[in-house]
Amino acid sequence: MELIIGPRTYSTWSLRGWMVMKRTGADFVTIDARYETAAQKAALSEVSPSGFVPVLRVGGELIWDTLAIAEWAAESYPEARLWPADPTTRALARSVTAEIHSGFSALRTFCSTGPDRPMVGDARSETPSDPALDRDLARVVSLFRQMRDRFGGEGPWLFGDWSIADAFYTPVAARVRHFQIDLADHGDDGTASTYVERLLAQPDFRLWETQAQP
Ligand SMILES: N[C@@H](CCC(=O)N[C@@H](CS)C(=O)NCC(=O)O)C(=O)O
């Protein structure tokens, strides 16, 4: 089984897919792809139907798009409990996961990652400012506070036990760190920033950071 990923320094979707695959406990190898130049993009299109990463190659099939990979992993490795067991909690976890998968466009635009704006390491950028970004950050804070207040008694993650939702919000935590965003400015009472720190301290994320090439 192979997971084709982009640069570990800034490929946020690759990080999400890789974290989910790591949690399955399955044996897989990662294959590095790049997409800075036209030639690299053309080469990526040879292995990725959409031209994007991550892509999972399994049993002669390709699964592209992070959410599809995550759902495949949850179905294929039920013992990894990648989604919450309770159907209502699972629906909430899927909702917040879908929200980051298809939304938060201002956060992505104003806090975009790249070779000079890495989600790993000590480099930091100036905090951007825009009303649309403020709205996205207020939503992130409210979502984190709401879920942590509700499920905090069941464990340290967004829905108590670790789930795919935590993988999907790890790059958000990395953006908060890189762009030096003070979540208190966006309605945090400390709950969201504590959760952000927890995401950044995950051993899998630390491993990803150490494997990232500058
Ligand atoms: N909806 C896709 C988005 C994947 C995506 O945007 N991947 C970026 C890297 S983080 C990419 O492959 N970019 C290639 C390019 O811009 O040419 C998913 O969830 O996997």
Side-chain angles (χ1 to χ4, degrees), residues 34-55:
R34 298 196 76 94
Y35 44 81
E36 284 97 21
T37 66
Q40 289 169 342
K41 279 178 191 273
L44 178 55
S45 293
E46 295 288 312
V47 291
S48 167
S50 63
F52 290 96
V53 284
V55 179

Side-chain angles (χ1 to χ4, degrees), residues 13-31:
W13 290 106
S14 299
L15 168 61
R16 292 174 173 106
W18 180 85
M19 290 191 79
V20 170
M21 287 305 296
K22 280 279 289 171
R23 284 275 174 165
T24 66
D27 244 356
F28 67 96
V29 294
T30 54
I31 298 185

Side-chain angles (χ1 to χ4, degrees), residues 107 111 127-145 176 179-190 192:
L107 180 62
C111 300
T127 312
S129 166
D130 184 88
L133 175 61
D134 287 345
R135 280 194 294 278
D136 274 4
L137 289 170
R139 173 62 191 147
V140 165
V141 167
S142 129
L143 187 161
F144 286 178
R145 285 187 62 181
V176 166
F179 290 95
Q180 308 178 80
I181 293 163
D182 185 352
L183 294 180
D185 294 342
H186 304 277
D188 188 26
D189 63 351

